[in-house]
Amino acid sequence: DAGVTQSPTHLIKTRGQQVTLRCSPKSGHDTVSWYQQALGQGPQFIFQYYEEEERQRGNFPDRFSGHQFPNYSSELNVNALLLGDSALYLCASSWDEGDEDEQFFGPGTRLTVL
Amino acid sequence: AQTVTQSQPEMSVQEAETVTLSCTYDTSESDYYLFWYKQPPSRQMILVIRQEAYKQQNATENRFSVNFQKAAKSFSLKISDSQLGDAAMYFCAYWGYSGAGSYQLTFGKGTKLSVIP
């Protein structure tokens, strides 16, 4: 049973560019959440997708947007990159009909903005 | 807004000994969940243990157990018989209502645990 997968593993961008990160949820899961983890900090909730719509959002600017596809996979897009966007981006999946609080995490994408 | 505080940035324990990691949280809700996650250098966030707030009995998973004090809003993790593989960052996390019809997972800043052979 494949767990949560994310791509790419690492990414280097320059300020002002745009980036897309991808996530495939664990088999049987229909809900995807994204988190930003700055160096030395705990993860911070960006947003959650369910039924191809953004259901909840944390305190992040509109430069952060996402998408969920019919197969439940998801993308995180960040526009106009800032140096402060450098972080580990984690994707977590869960099953809406189950214990929604029980989220399974992927290995993350390390984004470096130069 | 809910907050989670881990007051110990770093801890160390001798192999085979017991260590306790501290966590406090702030919420006005009565129904919520609390978690301890482990993040080794591989970066994969792994769920260690889970506690439902309405259950008074403390959760236990093999060598891992919690001391959940709801009134004090305290949720500590005890690791018994520590092993080298326990070395990692440990994050305490709260899941519950965060306002405006939203539920979310809120993490503390983490405690780095070192295990000394």
Side-chain angles (χ1 to χ4, degrees):
Chain A
D1 176 25
V4 180
T5 60
Q6 293 186 243
S7 63
T9 305
H10 296 90
L11 204 50
I12 299 175
K13 292 286 188 178
T14 56
R15 281 178 297 174
Q17 285 189 312
Q18 178 263 344
V19 69
T20 298
L21 310 182
R22 295 176 175 82
C23 171
S24 291
K26 180 179 169 65
S27 178
H29 286 185
D30 57 6
T31 303
V32 173
S33 302
W34 286 92
Y35 296 83
Q36 180 194 66
Q37 186 178 14
L39 197 61
Q41 302 292 317
Q44 283 195 291
F45 175 71
I46 302 175
F47 44 53
Q48 183 182 79
Y49 275 82
Y50 171 68
E51 291 190 340
E52 302 180 47
E53 291 193 357
E54 182 183 294
R55 179 162 66 175
Q56 299 173 39
R57 190 177 184 93
N59 190 25
F60 278 80
D62 292 345
R63 297 187 298 109
F64 290 77
S65 64
H67 188 75
Q68 186 179 34
F69 299 93
N71 67 353
Y72 308 120
S73 66
S74 177
E75 288 181 349
L76 164 65
N77 300 294
V78 187
N79 293 323
L81 284 167
L82 304 174
L83 294 179
D85 295 332
S86 295
L88 178 68
Y89 288 84
L90 297 168
C91 166
S93 72
S94 56
W95 180 44
D96 187 65
E97 293 298 320
D99 292 326
E100 189 179 339
D101 60 286
E102 194 154 359
Q103 300 187 13
F104 292 77
F105 284 82
T109 293
R110 172 73 66 189
L111 172 65
T112 301
V113 182
L114 302 176
Chain B
Q2 284 69 20
T3 57
V4 177
T5 302
Q6 294 179 247
S7 59
Q8 306 152 316
E10 295 189 30
M11 292 280 286
S12 62
V13 62
Q14 207 77 29
E15 195 176 3
E17 296 296 309
T18 295
V19 64
T20 299
L21 308 184
S22 301
C23 172
T24 58
Y25 58 95
D26 185 28
T27 183
S28 58
E29 302 297 316
S30 60
D31 192 18
Y32 50 87
Y33 295 83
L34 295 165
F35 305 87
W36 280 97
Y37 280 92
K38 169 185 177 181
Q39 188 178 41
S42 67
R43 310 182 321 202
Q44 186 97 36
M45 194 77 75
I46 302 164
L47 178 63
V48 174
I49 198 164
R50 172 178 181 265
Q51 175 78 43
E52 298 167 48
Y54 65 86
K55 289 186 177 179
Q56 292 193 349
Q57 187 173 7
N58 289 323
T60 299
E61 286 288 340
N62 301 313
R63 297 182 295 107
F64 300 87
S65 61
V66 299
N67 183 5
F68 173 48
Q69 302 290 328
K70 191 172 185 178
K73 297 179 182 176
S74 170
F75 182 61
S76 61
L77 174 70
K78 185 172 83 171
I79 306 174
S80 304
D81 185 25
S82 296
Q83 301 175 359
L84 295 178
D86 294 334
M89 283 293 291
Y90 285 82
F91 292 97
C92 178
Y94 164 100
W95 186 92
Y97 186 67
S98 57
S102 173
Y103 290 80
Q104 68 181 58
L105 196 58
T106 302
F107 287 83
K109 290 188 175 183
T111 296
K112 182 178 180 181
L113 178 66
S114 300
V115 180
I116 304 165

